[in-house]
Each structure stands twice: as structure tokens, then as C-alpha cells.
């Protein structure tokens, strides 16, 4: 070998030692182990836990994470969580099968900063079916009245035996265990509704509900529901409604306003505003307005949906421009009429007295 080639060979060997070895980078990673789902009795909040993949401790220069996807059977989309934990509590509809899938994610210097994904592992959970579907309560609905109390109502199922007893149970994050309704709504001795108070801690969280029934020698299908209170809120009817007409002949309605019904005899014009508590109606519309009513609903920035409040009870009449002109003309016409009558009476008196002769009064001595 020529002597001048020795330095080049040494440099090449040194460069090869500095480069990371591709053979040392793992191209695959094992999935987690022991995936299981357990029910802690929280009406649909299930615990999902697993163990790390084999030899996870050898990846000292990489981060091991997990990708969990879950849904209730029949849902089109999967909810996704990325975590380093080995246990999570997630919500499902217990009337359907809970399905989860999990994989390992490995990334760092040991993988040349390329994310390596394992195969998926799967697990399911389902409570044993109880009772026939037709025995489940019907027409279950709830309204969160004025953000103060929740009122839920239902009707008996199609296959409901006599002597049935219904109970409502609820849970949200912050409660140690599921609680039972303390204020039922009864009809003919049958629980057909429930009122729940002090739910401020459950706002903007999942509130899990179960309505179960029991009867002698008969199993009934329980109903499970997950509520979001802010989407069920119904405010009370607006108060302190005031109306005024500006100098520009525009109608201003201050204070609580989210939806206005401006009604003449048989038609209605609706005006909506999102965040204001006042609205101005243009002069062009005033001739068509004979009544103003107001109702409210939770702002779209606070809830995806909700219920409209009742309309304001009183119908506030709006004076029209023609009415104002008429109110001004009536006193003027009355004044002119009275003046004309007075002049006519004076004229009649002059006609009855002799022309050119003053009236004398005789005095006796």
C-alpha cells in the first residue's frame, strides 16, 4: 500500500466510528402487555391499565409513550389519548361494549429521532345484559334550570310490570362513589323524575346517569346516559325590560336581551344578539312594531347548545310614529274646536240684542 494512502485510511476509520450505527437503532418495538379493563362502579367510567413492553428499561436514550384509542361499540370515531402512564380512567356507554386498543411509541436518540410504533393490542368490556330492551325507561330528558338545579324526567318502559320502583344514580369526577337521587318526582306513587341540586362542580364535565328499575321476580334494563350540564342549561326569563325611543326615532331595548320577538297583529320579526344586553331597532321597522318580548339562551361561547328561556310575560307595547303624531294633533284640534265654539256663542249673543242700542237696566225709586 502506498504510504500516502495511510492517512486517508485512518481518517475513514475515524469517520466511521463517529457516525451512528444504523444497526444499533431498533426498527421495531414490542406492544404493551396485560391490557385489561375493569369497572369501579362509576356508571361508565372504566379503568384501563397495562404493563410496559418487554425490555422497556433498555431504551435509555428514548422516550416510551403509549397511544390509547377507545370508543363504545357502534361509534364511528375513536377518542385518542397519548400518555406515559400505565393506567387511565375513561368513559363509555355501559349499554354497549367498551372497546380499546393500545400501542407503544418509541422515539429518541436510540431511534435517530424517528418514531417507532408497535402493533396494536385490543381489549373489550361489557356488563352482562339485564332485562329486555323494552323494559328500559322511555323519554328520558333533563334540563339544567338557570344553572341552579337539574331536573330529569322519564316514562316507564313498554314492558313495565306493576309495583316497579325506579331509582336514579349519578356520578361525576370529584365524587368518591355513585350517589342516589334524594328528591324524586312522583306520579301516583311512581318515581318518574328527579331533581339534583349543587352540581356546580359537575359543570363542563361528564355527568353520568343511570336510571334503574326493580320489580318482584322481573329484571329491568337500566338506562345509562352521559350529560354535559352546560348544553342542557335553560335560563330564566329576562327581567327588568325597559324600552325607550331615541332622538333619532330608534327603539332601544336595554338590559337582558338575547332574542326579541317584535310582533304586529299576526306576523313576527325576530332580532337576535349574542352577548349584548341591549339592542337598537332601526326607524324603518318601528311602524310594524306593536309588541316587544324577550327570551334568552346560554351564549354559544359557553355551550354548544341549550334551551331557550320562556318569553317575558308582559307584552311591552311600542308607540308608533303615527300614534305620536296623533297624540300631538288631538290637543291642538280640541283647542281649536273650543275656540270656535266660544266665538260662535259670542256671535249668537250679539244677534239677539237690538242693533246699535246699548242695553239699559231700569232702577226703581
Amino acid at each position: 500500500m502506498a504510504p500516502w494512502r495511510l492517512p486517508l485510511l485512518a481518517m475513514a476509520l475515524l469517520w466511521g466510528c463517529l457516525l451512528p450505527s444504523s444497526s444499533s437503532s431498533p426498527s421495531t418495538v414490542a406492544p404493551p402487555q396485560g391490557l385489561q379493563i375493569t369497572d369501579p362502579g362509576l356508571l361508565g367510567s372504566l379503568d384501563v391499565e397495562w404493563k410496559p413492553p418487554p425490555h422497556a428499561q433498555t431504551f435509555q436514550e428514548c422516550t416510551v409513550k403509549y397511544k390509547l384509542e377507545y370508543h363504545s361499540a357502534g361509534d364511528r370515531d375513536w377518542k385518542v389519548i397519548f400518555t406515559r402512564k400505565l393506567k387511565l380512567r375513561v368513559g363509555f356507554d355501559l349499554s354497549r361494549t367498551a372497546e380499546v386498543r393500545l400501542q407503544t411509541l418509541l422515539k429518541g436518540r436510540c431511534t435517530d429521532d424517528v418514531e417507532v410504533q408497535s402493533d396494536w393490542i385490543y381489549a373489550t368490556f361489557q356488563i352482562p345484559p339485564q332485562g329486555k330492551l323494552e323494559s328500559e325507561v322511555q323519554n328520558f330528558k333533563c334540563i339544567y334550570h338557570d344553572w341552579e338545579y337539574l331536573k330529569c324526567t322519564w316514562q316507564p318502559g313498554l314492558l313495565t310490570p306493576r309495583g316497579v320502583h325506579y331509582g336514579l344514580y349519578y356520578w361525576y369526577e370529584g365524587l368518591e362513589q355513585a350517589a342516589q337521587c334524594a328528591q324524586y318526582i312522583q306520579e301516583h306513587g311512581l318515581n318518574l323524575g328527579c331533581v339534583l341540586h349543587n352540581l356546580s362542580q359537575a359543570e363542563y364535565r361528564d355527568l353520568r346517569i343511570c336510571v334503574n328499575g326493580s320489580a318482584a321476580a322481573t329484571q329491568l334494563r337500566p338506562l345509562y346516559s352521559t350529560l354535559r350540564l352546560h348544553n342542557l342549561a335553560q335560563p330564566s326569563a329576562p327581567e327588568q325590560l325597559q324600552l325607550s325611543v331615541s332622538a333619532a326615532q330608534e327603539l332601544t331595548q336595554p338590559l337582558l336581551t338575547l332574542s326579541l320577538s317584535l310582533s304586529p297583529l299576526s306576523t313576527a320579526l325576530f332580532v337576535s344578539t349574542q352577548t349584548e344586553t341591549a339592542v337598537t331597532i332601526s326607524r324603518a321597522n318601528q311602524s310594524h312594531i306593536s309588541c316587544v318580548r324577550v327570551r334568552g339562551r346560554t351564549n354559544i361561547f359557553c355551550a354548544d347548545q341549550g334551551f331557550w328561556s320562556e318569553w317575558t310575560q308582559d307584552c311591552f307595547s311600542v308607540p308608533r310614529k303615527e300614534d305620536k303624531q296623533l297624540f300631538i294633533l288631538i290637543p291642538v284640534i280640541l283647542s281649536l274646536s273650543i275656540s270656535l265654539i266660544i266665538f260662535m256663542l259670542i256671535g249668537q249673543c250679539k244677534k239677539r240684542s237690538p242693533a246699535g242700542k246699548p242695553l239699559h237696566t231700569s232702577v226703581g225709586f
Side-chain angles (χ1 to χ4, degrees):
M1 180 180 294
W4 59 272
R5 293 183 178 179
L6 291 176
L8 294 177
L9 179 60
M11 291 180 63
L13 292 174
L14 178 61
W15 182 253
C17 292
L18 294 177
L19 285 175
S21 175
S22 59
S23 60
S24 63
S25 300
S27 57
T28 61
V29 63
Q33 306 176 88
L35 178 63
Q36 62 178 351
I37 306 173
T38 56
D39 183 7
L42 301 179
L43 309 181
S45 286
L46 304 181
D47 290 334
V48 182
E49 53 186 323
W50 58 92
K51 296 179 181 180
H55 313 295
Q57 66 276 7
T58 61
F59 305 123
Q60 298 180 356
E61 296 182 340
C62 279
T63 300
V64 179
K65 295 193 300 184
Y66 305 98
K67 181 180 181 181
L68 174 71
E69 296 187 355
Y70 66 99
H71 72 180
S72 298
D75 292 343
R76 181 177 179 180
D77 300 325
W78 293 75
K79 296 179 182 179
V80 182
I81 298 178
F82 294 91
T83 184
R84 296 182 184 180
K85 298 179 180 180
L86 298 176
K87 182 177 180 179
L88 292 173
R89 177 168 289 175
V90 291
F92 297 90
D93 180 358
L94 285 186
S95 62
R96 295 178 285 164
T97 302
E99 300 178 344
V100 300
R101 58 190 184 190
L102 183 72
Q103 67 176 175
T104 306
L105 304 178
L106 185 66
K107 184 178 180 181
R109 292 184 61 183
C110 70
T111 63
D112 296 336
D113 287 327
V114 176
E115 185 176 80
V116 178
Q117 302 176 354
S118 74
D119 293 332
W120 291 98
I121 58 173
Y122 303 86
T124 61
F125 178 87
Q126 184 178 18
I127 60 174
Q130 177 179 335
K132 295 183 178 179
L133 181 60
E134 294 79 5
S135 64
E136 182 181 282
V137 297
Q138 306 177 94
N139 302 326
F140 178 78
K141 56 184 179 180
C142 298
I143 297 179
Y144 194 33
H145 290 273
D146 213 17
W147 293 74
E148 292 183 357
Y149 65 93
L150 179 70
K151 180 180 178 181
C152 297
T153 58
W154 59 85
Q155 294 295 322
L158 297 177
L159 298 179
T160 301
R162 293 183 179 180
V164 65
H165 175 77
Y166 289 114
L168 182 142
Y169 301 84
Y170 64 98
W171 180 87
Y172 56 86
E173 187 178 355
L175 293 180
E176 294 183 0
Q177 58 187 7
Q180 184 177 183
C181 173
Q183 183 180 345
Y184 283 105
I185 302 172
Q186 293 189 338
E187 293 184 14
H188 307 292
L190 190 64
N191 293 341
L192 294 179
C194 171
V195 177
L196 298 176
H197 297 272
N198 303 320
L199 293 176
S200 58
Q201 293 184 357
E203 294 172 2
Y204 297 100
R205 298 181 180 181
D206 288 341
L207 174 62
R208 305 200 174 275
I209 299 285
C210 174
V211 180
N212 200 357
S214 60
T218 303
Q219 288 188 335
L220 303 180
R221 177 73 59 91
L223 176 140
Y224 294 96
S225 180
T226 301
L227 309 180
R228 302 282 283 184
L229 292 178
H230 57 281
N231 289 332
L232 300 173
Q234 182 184 47
S236 57
E239 299 177 350
Q240 300 179 5
L241 178 65
Q242 298 177 1
L243 299 176
S244 62
V245 179
S246 66
Q249 298 298 316
E250 292 180 332
L251 176 65
T252 300
Q253 191 282 310
L255 301 178
L256 301 173
T257 304
L258 286 181
S259 176
L260 288 178
S261 170
L262 312 176
S263 305
L265 294 178
S266 60
T267 59
L269 170 67
F270 291 92
V271 180
S272 297
T273 178
Q274 295 298 334
T275 58
E276 301 296 330
T277 56
V279 66
T280 299
I281 303 167
S282 66
R283 183 176 181 179
N285 289 329
Q286 288 189 40
S287 60
H288 304 291
I289 301 171
S290 61
C291 175
V292 175
R293 297 184 303 166
V294 187
R295 65 178 181 175
R297 187 172 66 176
T298 304
N299 193 285
I300 60 173
F301 297 107
C302 299
D304 298 328
Q305 54 190 352
F307 296 99
W308 283 105
S309 73
E310 298 295 333
W311 291 102
T312 48
Q313 294 183 358
D314 298 328
C315 182
F316 295 85
S317 61
V318 182
R320 295 180 295 181
K321 184 177 180 180
E322 294 84 352
D323 298 334
K324 293 182 177 181
Q325 294 174 349
L326 183 60
F327 290 146
I328 296 174
L329 289 175
I330 288 176
V332 175
I333 294 174
L334 287 176
S335 299
L336 292 175
S337 300
I338 293 173
S339 300
L340 180 60
I341 292 173
I342 292 174
F343 282 121
M344 291 177 63
L345 291 175
I346 294 174
Q348 290 293 332
C349 291
K350 287 183 178 180
K351 288 182 180 180
R352 292 179 180 178
S353 62
K357 292 183 180 181
L359 296 175
H360 297 281
T361 303
S362 59
V363 179
F365 294 91

